[in-house]
Amino acid sequence: MEFVGKKLNGSLWRTWPFVVLYSLLPLSTTALFSAAGLARVKPVQILPPFFVGKFTSDAIMLFSGRYAFHNSAELIYGNFSWKGITCAVIGAVVLAAFLFLDWLALLERRKLRLNFRIWK
């Protein structure tokens, strides 16, 4: 929360991209609002970019869920296509990136590191 609080105390044009990016990532937004409250950040600095980021990430989730639901019948009946296999591989890579990416190192030090000890 200390890292997020420091990022939120910047200028408006540095804060908004950070809040949009933070709300797009699969991180807890409770820490974002807790840090904003502790840092006494004005709501106008947090709410508009948060709604943009959250609306975008929720829309992506809805459309990808709709796509998966409508195309699940192809997998059930054994009709494998290159499109389906490609989407499954890309989905597995994205899921692995979310699970094994060291988010703290990426956000604080801007270094891309993988952490395979996720069960600790």
Side-chain angles (χ1 to χ4, degrees), residues 1-10 15 31-43 45-46:
M1 283 195 343
E2 184 179 325
F3 168 73
V4 174
K6 287 178 186 176
K7 288 290 189 180
L8 294 177
N9 277 332
T15 303
L32 177 72
F33 288 109
S34 298
L38 290 173
R40 298 186 186 266
V41 175
K42 294 178 185 176
Q45 250 181 310
I46 300 291

Side-chain angles (χ1 to χ4, degrees), residues 33-102:
F33 288 109
S34 298
L38 290 173
R40 298 186 186 266
V41 175
K42 294 178 185 176
V44 76
Q45 250 181 310
I46 300 291
L47 292 178
F50 171 75
F51 284 124
V52 168
K54 207 37 122 166
F55 179 80
T56 304
S57 66
D58 288 349
I60 290 170
M61 293 284 273
L62 285 172
F63 284 118
S64 56
R66 180 177 165 209
Y67 175 80
F69 177 75
H70 287 298
N71 292 321
S72 62
E74 290 180 14
L75 292 176
I76 292 172
Y77 296 112
N79 295 331
F80 290 102
S81 66
W82 287 107
K83 184 178 174 183
I85 293 170
T86 305
C87 286
V89 168
I90 290 172
V93 168
V94 168
L95 182 65
F98 282 136
L99 286 175
F100 300 121
L101 195 63
D102 189 356

